[in-house]
Structure formats: structure tokens, C-alpha cells
Amino acid sequence: MMHWFEGPLAAFDTETTGVDVEEDRIVSAALVVQDMAGGRPRVTRWLVNPGVPVPAGATEIHGLTDEHLQHNGRWPAPVMEEMARALAEQCAAGRPLVVMNAPFDLTLLDRELRRHRASSLAGYLGNAPLCVLDPRVLDKHLDRYRKGRRTLADLCELYGVVLDGAHDAAADAAASLELVRAVGRRFATRLERLTPAELHALQAGWHAAQARGLQAWFEKSGTPEVVDPAWPLRPELPAAAA
């Protein structure tokens, strides 16, 4: 019997104007779909003219300039709808969605949909259940006492996954997909009996526990940062708090 980590997976990634999910914008994104391990991936790419300036610090990371996006990017409204429909199609097909640090990318997409389509990610998913596999959450739970950073590049190096062209959405999505397969194989005795849907539910609890631990560390060190325990999507802020 084929284990889930050898079967069909899709992966989604974005590049953005910054790290604030409530205010920053998506400038590029990609969806990578693979029917089985080793199969040829199908890649869909989007390039967005966000309608706001791209900070120099963001451009240094992903290489996308205001000029390039203005000349080659599309307006956000139709692109966000295409992204949402593409993810909904994967969910309706029962294909698990790999998203590295899911609360960032999925929340950003949700906020863009609210901003440009007066809708939400849940609105596009409809009755299709969201089933997410987050390599960061999985690795942090399964190898919780290992020290060191857990960025995509760090995890790819640890698990022997090729990351060719970091901070390109398609490259990051493809690497995240292979990373989840590698995590599944390394921890097969703990994961192979679980379905992706069961793992989705477990990861919500694992991420919340990880967030509480990080929050406690921040408070102990006097850092004012607040860690959101929600996964894989942060709830919309009340209007008074937005």
C-alpha cells in the first residue's frame, strides 16, 4: 500500500511585500502539483502588481522590483481569485496541500481575497475540507529537541532536499513538497498509520503548543512579540482591533 507521503500532493507558496499578514501584499505565488513521488510536477505561477510600493528589503529577498511588477504583474483581484480557485480544486480532489509556515501564506491569501474580492479563502473552499501539511510544524513536533533554525533552507539541508532558487515561489513550493515527503519517510513509523486529514487536525494542536512555548520564551527574555497559536489560518481580526 502506498503511504500518503509517496502519493499525490500539492504545494503552495507566496512571495510578498513584507511579513505582516494583515497589511502586506502578495507579489508572486506558485502551486506545484505532483501525482506521486518522483512524478513530473505541474507548476502554476502567478505574478502580481500589488498596487503598493515594494520595500527594498523585500526586493532584496525575492528580487521582484516595482518596475518589474508594474510591467509584468497582473492586477490583484483576478489573480487572487485564480489562486483561491486553484487551491479549492486541490482540496475538492482530496489532495493534501503542503504549505511551509501555513499561517503566513494562507492568511495573506485570505486577507487579499477580503481586500480585492470581498470574500475569503473559506468562501472559495466551500464544503471542500482544507487539509494542510506544514513541514515546519511536522519537523518541530517530530524532532522537537533538535537545536537550530527551522527555515525552509535549513530543513532542506537537514533532510537532503534540493532547494534550487530560494525565494522564488515555485522553487520554494517544490522544495516544500519534497521536504514533506522526506519528513514522512524519516518518521514513517510515527506517520504512516495517520491519514493526511488526521495529521491536519494534529498539527493544529502541535502548532498551538509550539506557539505557547515560544511565547513563554519571549516573555522570559523580555521580548514584546506576540505569537499567534492559530493554524493553518489566522482568524480575521475584529474591526475594532484591525
Side-chain angles (χ1 to χ4, degrees), residues 206-224:
W206 295 346
H207 179 271
Q210 293 162 9
R212 288 193 297 270
L214 183 57
Q215 187 70 68
W217 186 85
F218 280 149
E219 291 173 357
K220 185 177 180 179
S221 61
T223 302

Side-chain angles (χ1 to χ4, degrees), residues 2-128:
M2 181 183 292
H3 299 307
W4 63 262
F5 46 82
E6 303 294 353
L9 293 175
F12 179 68
D13 187 76
T14 67
E15 297 300 328
T16 68
T17 60
V19 297
D20 184 340
V21 296
E22 302 296 340
E23 298 295 336
D24 279 306
R25 311 297 175 91
I26 294 173
V27 296
S28 70
L31 178 69
V32 177
V33 181
Q34 191 179 44
D35 292 327
M36 61 183 296
R40 184 173 182 175
R42 302 186 297 278
V43 182
T44 303
R45 296 176 172 87
W46 294 276
L47 192 66
V48 186
N49 178 354
V52 299
V54 180
T59 297
E60 287 178 10
I61 293 172
H62 50 58
L64 298 172
T65 64
D66 280 326
E67 183 180 8
H68 179 76
L69 294 171
Q70 288 167 10
H71 282 86
N72 300 284
R74 296 163 57 203
W75 287 112
V79 182
M80 298 310 154
E81 178 157 0
E82 287 178 16
M83 289 183 202
R85 291 190 182 280
L87 296 193
E89 181 181 339
Q90 300 306 314
C91 293
R95 189 174 285 114
L97 188 64
V98 176
V99 189
M100 175 75 182
N101 191 18
F104 179 76
D105 295 81
L106 295 184
T107 304
L108 259 170
L109 176 56
D110 177 79
R111 302 314 191 249
E112 288 278 51
L113 290 167
R114 295 175 187 274
R115 183 178 294 121
H116 297 290
R117 303 300 304 182
S119 185
S120 66
L121 182 55
Y124 281 91
L125 294 176
N127 295 325

